[in-house]
Amino acid sequence: MKPVVDQDLCIGCGVCPSVAPSMFDMNDDGKAYAIVDEVPAGEEDLAEEAVESCPVAAITVE
């Protein structure tokens, strides 16, 4: 499972890094991005919580 943030949709609210700091961070443009290529083992629930918490549905897990 790979976390992905759509940079065109992201509004930079910071919810995903607060929910799943091991998977997401904020870039210099103030938008979130995935810092891992794969969801860490045992953190699938956090990845799904980040997806569900995004107010603009910019996060997917493929």
Side-chain angles (χ1 to χ4, degrees):
M1 293 175 37
K2 177 181 180 174
V4 177
V5 178
D6 184 326
Q7 295 295 296
D8 292 329
L9 293 177
C10 181
I11 59 172
C13 70
V15 169
C16 56
S18 68
V19 168
S22 62
M23 288 175 257
F24 301 98
D25 201 356
M26 303 301 285
N27 65 24
D28 292 338
D29 294 331
K31 294 188 176 190
Y33 69 100
I35 58 174
V36 295
D37 290 329
E38 293 290 324
V39 172
E43 295 192 12
E44 295 83 4
D45 289 346
L46 283 178
E48 287 302 319
E49 185 177 343
V51 169
E52 294 169 6
S53 297
C54 182
V56 294
I59 303 169
T60 55
V61 177
E62 303 170 349

